Amino acid sequence: MVAASAMVATSMLHLKRISCGALLLSVSCYLLLVLVLLVFPEHRISISSDLRRPLLNNLVRDEAGGQVSFDRCWGKRVYVYNLPAQLNEGLVKKCDKQLVCWLDFCRHLENYGFGQAIDRSAGWYATDAYMLEVIFHSRIRNYSCLTNDSSRADALFVPYYAGFDALQYLYSGGCVKTMQDRHGVELAKWLEKQAGDAWKRWNGRDHFMVMGRTSWDFAVARGSWGTGIQGLDHVANMTTLYIERNPWKENQVAVPYPTSFHPSNATQLNAWIRTVATSRRKYLLSFSGGIRATMKDATSVRSTLLRQCQKRAELCVHVDCGGSLKCGHDPRPSVAKFLESEFCLQPRGDTATRRSAFDAIISGCIPVFFHHDSAYSQYVWHLPSDPGSYSVFIAEESITGGGVDVVEFLSSLPGERILELRSSVVSLIPRLIYRMPGGENGSGFEDAFDVSLREVLRRITGRKAGN
């Protein structure tokens, strides 16, 4: 036994020596390579400028002083195209019924697209769910790693307000006669003529764009709802961000709906999180929303859930947003009930996703989903990969045909499980909200924009590498 122990000890010592020797050799080789590249720059290994990811690309040499420093923007440089005004800011200037004759949305554009202030000191605004293009554009202008040289960019942003441009096709209401399949053609022409080598280098695969509506608003044949912009090759080649994606489209990514909470700093964020954490949850569950015109039959998920909720009014509260109460631009009625509820029901509406899901999460209310496309196949950058860590799932058919009573089901969950879920939900709040522009380096937290841009850069790097 002693001999065996001695052999093991000797072997371990030998392995440690080998490991240490290998480590010292690796460090020595690295330092030698740095020295060679700095002293003899003419002998640097030639690597394609389009795949500039060598080991030392994050080191920058100061030619004047011979200093070597870390490049904090390595792999993170973004070039923003200067598009003609009629493709972005010129569109929003037509907010007073010029773009759509019956629609005035000017108030929604105030405060960088966050809308009119409800309580500016606390970070609350009357935010429209479709302002993402303006919000994202406002934030990226303050991004610390912008470059004016498109050849140095790791990603190129196309600030086209596709959602606003789509209004004239989606909601014209007879004001004008338009051809839906022409939507986006002017952008494609401009990219062909003006982007030049920057576009051709990767055929647009290193470009990205934000389209502030659901994917379904931009994919349709003429004569029905939607526009034809997704059929353009230029759009299909780019990474496109939506508030709801088509899960079968490889180039599409979903990012959170804008809620009404937009703190400008960590102090406002932490104050709200304390409110959420200490709120008394006197209801087991709540449901905010109305019954859609196409879902009024007694067998629909929404109708069934509403009936179940109304039968147990002491446990379930309903905020009816279908009548005079317009929850979309005044978050207070919904958020007040979400703060008092353990769970928030999130059935599908006109499409699979709901802004209400994000309003609920930032209020510490555990979301209950009934379809995978309501969250799990959508927000893969912003929500945990394990749905059960922050939400409850009940299949739609279990409600409409399986006889599952949602109130009874949620009542059966142990208190410890509820506390675990809420803790996870509260931890998600920072990465699901959009911070007020300005003070990017001193905000103290990473928000939905930061997460989105970081993952866009990572995704584009992978596309260039063929992954």
Side-chain angles (χ1 to χ4, degrees):
M1 179 68 72
V2 175
S5 300
M7 290 177 63
V8 170
T10 302
S11 298
M12 292 298 293
L13 180 59
H14 183 60
L15 287 173
K16 287 180 180 179
R17 287 173 176 168
I18 293 174
S19 299
C20 292
L23 178 60
L24 289 172
L25 180 60
S26 298
V27 172
S28 299
C29 290
Y30 179 85
L31 293 175
L32 180 60
L33 183 56
V34 171
L35 182 61
V36 168
L37 292 178
L38 292 177
V39 177
F40 302 105
E42 67 276 10
H43 294 297
R44 288 177 180 164
I45 299 172
S46 176
I47 299 178
S48 169
S49 59
D50 292 326
L51 290 174
R52 293 172 294 165
R53 293 293 183 273
L55 178 65
L56 302 178
N57 258 11
N58 60 337
L59 297 178
V60 177
R61 183 183 181 192
D62 178 2
E63 298 294 340
Q67 300 288 327
V68 178
S69 60
F70 181 74
D71 180 6
R72 65 177 182 81
C73 289
W74 176 76
K76 299 189 294 184
R77 286 187 174 82
V78 175
Y79 176 82
V80 179
Y81 281 103
N82 183 23
L83 296 183
Q86 64 264 28
L87 295 179
N88 45 42
E89 293 177 335
L91 290 168
V92 298
K93 288 181 179 179
K94 299 179 180 180
C95 61
D96 57 344
K97 299 185 180 182
Q98 295 182 58
L99 199 60
V100 179
C101 62
W102 55 269
L103 180 63
D104 187 331
F105 54 91
C106 293
R107 68 187 187 280
H108 303 321
L109 296 166
E110 295 180 22
N111 297 302
Y112 305 100
F114 290 143
Q116 296 175 332
I118 295 174
D119 185 351
R120 190 185 305 274
S121 63
W124 286 88
Y125 299 81
T127 305
D128 186 89
Y130 297 124
M131 292 295 118
L132 185 61
E133 293 158 354
V134 176
I135 293 170
F136 205 95
H137 196 191
S138 298
R139 282 295 306 281
I140 206 166
R141 283 179 167 133
N142 291 313
Y143 179 57
S144 60
C145 288
L146 292 180
T147 177
N148 292 323
D149 184 353
S150 62
S151 67
R152 298 188 67 210
D154 298 284
L156 297 92
F157 177 54
V158 182
Y160 172 47
Y161 293 179
F164 288 97
D165 201 15
L167 291 176
Q168 58 188 313
Y169 306 102
L170 301 177
Y171 299 110
S172 62
C175 304
V176 292
K177 297 297 181 182
T178 59
M179 297 176 63
Q180 292 163 291
D181 56 350
R182 298 292 296 172
H183 182 212
V185 170
E186 293 304 314
L187 172 68
K189 289 180 178 178
W190 189 90
L191 288 171
E192 282 286 348
K193 185 177 181 180
Q194 302 295 333
D197 293 340
W199 177 269
K200 295 175 183 176
R201 185 164 57 243
W202 288 98
N203 200 26
R205 286 184 295 144
D206 55 350
H207 287 53
F208 70 104
M209 187 169 69
V210 175
M211 303 174 74
R213 303 183 65 89
T214 72
S215 171
W216 317 109
D217 292 330
F218 303 104
V220 76
R222 187 187 301 179
S224 56
W225 179 262
T227 78
I229 187 172
Q230 287 181 5
L232 301 176
D233 289 340
H234 290 76
V235 174
N237 284 352
M238 283 189 267
T239 293
T240 48
L241 276 55
Y242 302 83
I243 53 177
E244 178 179 329
R245 69 184 285 256
N246 180 340
W248 295 278
K249 295 290 187 179
E250 185 274 337
N251 72 312
Q252 296 185 13
V253 180
V255 297
Y257 280 76
T259 65
S260 290
F261 182 47
H262 309 287
S264 58
N265 52 58
T267 300
Q268 287 183 340
L269 172 64
N270 292 333
W272 174 248
I273 289 178
R274 283 193 296 272
T275 298
V276 170
T278 58
S279 180
R280 178 173 170 266
R281 310 277 166 174
K282 64 182 182 180
Y283 296 105
L284 176 67
L285 67 156
S286 62
F287 170 51
S288 177
I291 302 301
R292 293 288 187 270
T294 56
M295 300 179 179
K296 287 184 177 178
D297 63 285
T299 61
S300 75
V301 174
R302 282 196 175 213
S303 297
T304 303
L305 291 173
L306 184 55
R307 285 200 309 273
Q308 293 179 0
C309 180
Q310 290 172 336
K311 286 194 300 184
R312 303 292 298 275
E314 75 282 6
L315 294 175
C316 182
V317 60
H318 174 226
V319 182
D320 186 2
C321 296
S324 59
L325 184 62
K326 300 300 181 183
C327 306
H329 296 136
D330 186 355
R332 287 170 289 190
S334 294
V335 169
K337 296 306 179 185
F338 291 163
L339 283 169
E340 296 177 337
S341 305
E342 303 277 15
F343 298 95
C344 292
L345 307 182
Q346 304 299 336
R348 290 188 293 171
D350 295 325
T351 62
T353 64
R354 305 181 72 211
R355 168 178 158 166
S356 174
F358 295 97
D359 290 332
I361 291 175
I362 70 167
S363 304
C365 193
I366 302 162
V368 181
F369 296 113
F370 304 88
H371 195 283
H372 284 274
D373 288 345
S374 292
Y376 308 149
S377 66
Q378 295 286 335
Y379 309 102
V380 295
W381 288 350
H382 297 79
L383 295 176
S385 57
D386 176 13
S389 68
Y390 70 93
S391 68
V392 172
F393 180 76
I394 306 173
E396 288 180 347
E397 55 269 24
S398 298
I399 299 294
T400 56
V404 171
D405 185 292
V406 69
V407 180
E408 291 182 3
F409 180 86
L410 295 175
S411 297
S412 68
L413 296 179
E416 296 82 1
R417 173 65 174 151
I418 294 174
L419 290 175
E420 289 175 359
L421 287 168
R422 180 172 303 108
S423 176
S424 178
V425 164
V426 172
S427 71
L428 294 173
I429 293 176
R431 61 193 292 116
L432 300 182
I433 59 178
Y434 293 92
R435 187 172 64 238
M436 176 62 68
E440 303 298 301
N441 297 325
S443 62
F445 66 95
E446 185 180 59
D447 74 336
F449 169 84
D450 296 321
V451 173
S452 300
L453 188 54
R454 184 189 70 224
E455 294 301 323
V456 162
L457 287 159
R458 182 179 300 174
R459 185 179 190 277
I460 287 175
T461 297
R463 296 187 85 189
K464 290 178 181 179
N467 299 329

